[in-house]
Amino acid sequence: MAAGRHSRLSEWFNRRGWSDIIISAPYIWLLLFFLLPFLIVIVIAMSVATRTPSAPPFGYGGDNPVLNFAGYARFFEDELYLRALVTSIINAFVAMILCLLIGYPMALGLTRMQSNWRNILLMLIILPFWTSFLLRVYAWMGMMGKSSWFNRLLTDIWNMVTPEGWAVSSIPMMHSNFAVVLVMVYTYLPFMILPLYANLERLDPTLDEAAMDLGTRPFGVFWDVTLPQSIPGIIAGGLLVFIPASGELVIPTLVGDAGSPMIGRVISDEFSSSRDWPMASSIAVALLLLMVVPTMIYSHFQTKAEHKPENRP
Amino acid sequence: MQDPFVRIEGVSKLFGAFQAVRDVNLTVGKGEIFALLGGSGCGKTTLLRMLAGFEEPSAGRIFLDGQDMTGVPPWERPVHMMFQSYALFPHMSVEKNVAYGLKHERMTKAEREERVRAMLDLVQLTQFAHRKPHQISGGQRQRVALARALARQPKLLLLDEPLAALDKKLREQTQFELMSIQERTGVTFIVVTHDQEEAMTLADRIAVMDKGQVRQSGTPTDIYEYPNSRFVAGFIGSITSFDGRVTAVEGEVSRVDVPGLGTEIVARSVAGAASGQAVTVALRPEKVTLTRDRLEGPNAIAGEIKDIAYFGKDSLYRVTLPSGQLIAVHGVNAKRAEAGRPDWHDKVWLSFDPAAAILLTE
């Protein structure tokens, strides 16, 4: 009896045990390090803030309902949060579009380059990652400051090209959404270029020749052949820029306008300064639902559309 | 051949120091199927790309229907190409692929739809109009590529190894389909191929290329029966060649002494053959008769059968000659299970007509 069970177990193990274990590894990882923490966040979001020293600043019960939705209510009622959300989305969206406009030609150029040059340039794109991210943001702060050579150069150019009365002593770049977008574009550009490059590099160059052969000029070839085939790369790069940019904390804190904070800054402030963990968690959950769920629905329909056989007679 | 429709005049192409095509002169008649035949790296694809406009000749000019094509970009040439990989647009349906070239034509929507329908009809793909290229078979893809290239009614259609990606059975069937479509549309075809059988079946005329040069051009019969060089004779079909020296030129024929053969070969003379000249005599396997007894006639060589490959309808014999050389001889098995059929190690006589022996001076 015991021997029979043992052999059945080892049989299962040999037949599909290994593959099951290997396939389940990423799921277990996601469960432990994403789903479980996220469940904790959801639970905290529905608790009540408390001010007991040396204990987690949240609790249940008392006079409050067990499931407390006050945080969500405040998120949708208080203009501060919605404004922060809108600022985040706008900044992240503008950064994403600028990354696309700058990154697409770079990615396309890379694919058309001789392979020895291409590898050097790919290295250069990844190279900034080898220095500290904070250091690079501080470098931008120095550049944008009123007395920097960069600001003075731009000021001189501005004063030269604009009429008399428009002259300024410096260009106010720091502590603005402009500064946030600028630094985010700089930081996230590689995340746009790399997936786009991977996508464009796979395209067959004879398709371009075929289009030209059939009467299309080079710019039209880009429009008809290259662009439609690079949409998966644009979506991948766009998401890789937009999602982290919309939740960005460090860049808006260092170079942003304190008067119109981004949502990441708001969550951080609720968490540390106000010590209102339920509120911070509520914003985090709402943000996730507002940003990730539409993305998932979109990608679900995208894959469905791709696999649908167009088989009408 | 009437007026030359395509005229290639002294065309050369250099890639850096490498000369891909050197001084090619060719003419192709209207409505002809012309094949550029050669091994890989012989320059045939480069020549085709120059016709399409993807490469500019380093020297020389190409005329199409009397018009100089120099400097005309691919999108303005009335020349379309069927790519070896077919190069179908993966994000467009079969119908959209075929219609693609038509968006540059001045025609109404109805006319355009009508043309696409006619093209899909021509290649018998109407029921697959809405499929994407990855949802159809390789043979169907090939036909979509053909329909797309023909849709704008080009003056000249270039086909780059049109059948190379198909399996053997499909290739034979498609060959005849291509020929019938060419006949119905009347479009001039230039086909690039490395497959001599494909060139022989498809083409009205063939140019054999080697190292960027055209070695010989002519009808399939010309090229097969009257090759002008050892290269062409060896490239098309199989040959056995004998190196020797001309001992005498007597009217129509030359006598060639081949060391070690034990007899001289009498071959039909060619222009430029002179006494004392080093030449090669090439023999095709099917032009040699194999018998047990010596036949009357000028050319008779004794040998011993070394190998027999029996194919059913015919057999290929490999016969050792006194010189030690092996010669391939083709025999038709006209009778059923013939008793006296030559066997392994039989002593046999090989004979051939002087007109069948190809005398090569180059």
Side-chain angles (χ1 to χ4, degrees):
Chain A
M1 190 71 187
R5 190 182 297 163
H6 171 78
S7 70
R8 216 176 302 151
L9 184 71
S10 69
E11 192 186 306
W12 169 83
F13 208 74
N14 287 334
R15 192 148 34 87
R16 38 179 311 205
W18 279 116
S19 64
D20 280 5
I21 286 169
I22 289 168
I23 289 167
S24 61
Y27 288 102
I28 292 172
W29 178 274
L30 274 177
L31 184 79
L32 286 180
F33 299 109
F34 173 72
L35 218 56
L36 225 54
F38 186 60
L39 276 173
I40 295 171
V41 171
I42 290 177
V43 169
I44 294 176
M46 292 185 294
S47 67
V48 182
T50 59
R51 304 233 178 265
T52 326
S54 76
F58 64 92
Y60 291 97
D63 300 332
N64 296 294
V66 179
L67 296 178
N68 180 16
F69 292 98
Y72 295 112
R74 239 172 85 204
F75 177 77
F76 287 106
E77 276 162 16
D78 194 331
E79 220 177 288
L80 170 81
Y81 302 116
L82 285 178
R83 245 204 331 254
L85 181 66
V86 170
T87 307
S88 300
I89 290 175
I90 291 173
N91 281 353
F93 188 77
V94 172
M96 178 187 78
I97 297 296
L98 289 174
C99 279
L100 180 65
L101 293 179
I102 300 167
Y104 200 107
M106 287 173 79
L108 195 61
L110 277 170
T111 64
R112 306 280 156 95
M113 209 150 272
Q114 282 184 334
S115 64
N116 47 346
W117 271 106
R118 189 193 307 171
N119 291 335
I120 291 169
L121 290 172
L122 272 172
M123 259 304 284
L124 288 177
I125 287 169
I126 305 167
L127 201 64
F129 285 127
W130 291 25
T131 60
S132 159
F133 162 64
L134 270 180
L135 208 66
R136 285 180 282 137
V137 179
Y138 276 111
W140 272 109
M141 288 168 71
M143 291 243 290
M144 288 187 293
K146 284 187 178 156
S147 54
S148 75
W149 63 268
F150 181 67
N151 200 326
R152 258 183 276 148
L153 179 76
L154 291 184
T155 308
D156 286 349
I157 294 172
W158 172 265
N159 289 342
M160 248 188 296
V161 297
T162 53
E164 204 73 1
W166 293 46
V168 290
S169 60
S170 68
I171 294 174
M173 284 187 278
M174 275 296 284
H175 306 300
S176 65
N177 282 328
F178 167 80
V180 173
V181 169
L182 176 69
V183 178
M184 286 203 300
V185 167
Y186 165 78
T187 308
Y188 290 114
L189 190 57
F191 294 106
M192 179 62 86
I193 294 176
L194 295 177
L196 264 179
Y197 169 74
N199 177 276
L200 291 169
E201 201 248 337
R202 283 203 317 268
L203 301 187
D204 180 2
T206 47
L207 294 183
D208 297 5
E209 288 188 343
M212 274 191 253
D213 187 69
L214 290 163
T216 310
R217 284 156 191 280
F219 185 74
V221 172
F222 170 78
W223 210 246
D224 290 351
V225 178
T226 314
L227 195 60
Q229 288 189 93
S230 63
I231 285 172
I234 294 175
I235 290 174
L239 290 177
L240 278 180
V241 172
F242 183 78
I243 290 175
S246 62
E248 180 61 54
L249 168 67
V250 176
I251 295 170
T253 307
L254 293 178
V255 304
D257 175 8
S260 65
M262 282 174 66
I263 200 77
R265 175 85 181 274
V266 170
I267 296 177
S268 165
D269 284 351
E270 292 291 350
F271 221 82
S272 49
S273 321
S274 317
R275 282 184 68 78
D276 190 345
W277 285 23
M279 186 63 218
S281 302
S282 303
I283 302 172
V285 173
L287 191 63
L288 189 95
L289 295 179
L290 286 174
M291 312 272 266
V292 175
V293 170
T295 315
M296 281 168 65
I297 292 171
Y298 172 78
S299 87
H300 174 75
F301 280 108
Q302 181 74 13
T303 42
K304 219 173 167 184
E306 263 167 37
H307 291 285
K308 192 181 78 180
E310 272 191 72
N311 200 359
R312 284 167 287 160
Chain B
M1 191 182 68
Q2 324 91 325
D3 55 317
F5 188 64
V6 181
R7 207 162 79 237
I8 300 170
E9 273 186 11
V11 164
S12 295
K13 179 68 187 178
L14 285 154
F15 292 111
F18 175 69
Q19 188 147 27
V21 172
R22 61 181 82 202
D23 195 29
V24 166
N25 291 286
L26 284 173
T27 53
V28 179
K30 198 176 169 71
E32 225 181 352
I33 303 186
F34 192 89
L36 295 169
L37 174 64
S40 63
C42 73
K44 58 188 193 299
T45 301
T46 307
L47 191 58
L48 197 75
R49 291 176 60 80
M50 286 194 280
L51 284 161
F54 296 132
E55 310 281 354
E56 277 293 320
S58 308
R61 288 196 291 178
I62 294 170
F63 293 89
L64 176 65
D65 202 8
Q67 196 196 339
D68 188 353
M69 286 285 122
T70 310
V72 179
W75 52 90
E76 279 168 17
R77 294 193 185 204
V79 176
H80 293 327
M81 181 147 161
M82 201 182 107
F83 292 81
Q84 183 173 6
S85 62
Y86 308 146
L88 299 179
F89 304 124
H91 55 293
M92 295 183 197
S93 64
V94 165
E95 188 180 51
K96 294 235 171 66
N97 264 284
V98 175
Y100 184 77
L102 298 177
K103 70 176 205 163
H104 304 287
E105 300 273 285
R106 285 169 172 276
M107 57 200 311
T108 65
K109 192 162 177 275
E111 284 172 327
R112 195 168 298 145
E113 279 168 4
E114 177 50 39
R115 180 79 65 79
V116 171
R117 205 172 308 129
M119 281 300 134
L120 288 175
D121 249 12
L122 184 72
V123 295
Q124 298 158 33
L125 281 175
T126 313
Q127 77 224 64
F128 299 105
H130 296 287
R131 293 227 191 149
K132 290 271 176 72
H134 69 269
Q135 293 165 327
I136 57 177
S137 74
Q140 288 164 342
R141 256 175 257 165
Q142 193 255 14
R143 274 143 56 199
V144 177
L146 183 65
R148 185 180 69 177
L150 284 172
R152 279 185 88 192
Q153 302 177 332
K155 288 184 174 176
L156 173 64
L157 186 72
L158 308 171
L159 301 99
D160 189 3
E161 301 277 3
L163 308 173
L166 305 178
D167 59 56
K168 193 173 183 292
K169 202 169 173 190
L170 200 57
R171 195 153 59 211
E172 280 166 14
Q173 183 194 329
T174 310
Q175 235 165 39
F176 292 106
E177 234 172 64
L178 267 183
M179 288 162 78
S180 97
I181 284 172
Q182 192 273 340
E183 220 164 277
R184 271 182 281 164
T185 55
V187 175
T188 309
F189 279 24
I190 294 184
V191 185
V192 151
T193 176
H194 68 278
D195 183 330
Q196 47 127 334
E197 263 180 59
E198 189 176 308
M200 304 274 278
T201 341
L202 274 177
D204 299 315
R205 285 191 313 133
I206 298 173
V208 181
M209 290 187 72
D210 176 43
K211 295 186 190 116
Q213 283 173 302
V214 171
R215 298 301 295 265
Q216 188 175 0
S217 68
T219 63
T221 319
D222 284 344
I223 303 247
Y224 186 81
E225 306 287 2
Y226 304 98
N228 63 1
S229 60
R230 292 177 188 94
F231 175 81
V232 175
F235 192 80
I236 308 265
S238 55
I239 55 157
T240 307
S241 53
F242 301 94
D243 294 326
R245 204 165 280 282
V246 177
T247 51
V249 180
E250 297 168 355
E252 288 265 288
V253 297
S254 292
R255 290 180 179 280
V256 180
D257 175 51
V258 179
L261 195 63
T263 175
E264 58 181 12
I265 294 177
V266 181
R268 174 183 281 176
S269 212
V270 291
S275 190
Q277 193 179 10
V279 290
T280 298
V281 177
L283 277 175
R284 300 256 184 228
E286 76 280 4
K287 303 278 197 289
V288 180
T289 315
L290 182 142
T291 48
R292 290 180 172 283
D293 306 309
R294 191 193 160 128
L295 294 185
E296 284 304 305
N299 291 312
I301 313 170
E304 187 187 310
I305 294 180
K306 180 165 185 280
D307 244 331
I308 305 173
Y310 175 73
F311 300 124
K313 67 181 193 305
D314 49 22
S315 298
L316 193 71
Y317 302 91
R318 302 220 297 158
V319 180
T320 316
L321 300 181
S323 58
Q325 196 181 1
L326 282 171
I327 177 169
V329 179
H330 192 256
V332 178
N333 298 324
K335 288 180 190 159
R336 191 172 176 189
E338 212 172 332
R341 196 181 284 170
D343 209 344
W344 269 269
H345 307 302
D346 279 0
K347 303 263 188 245
V348 290
W349 284 93
L350 306 173
S351 33
F352 51 90
D353 194 73
I358 306 160
L359 194 67
L360 299 166
T361 55
E362 240 180 74

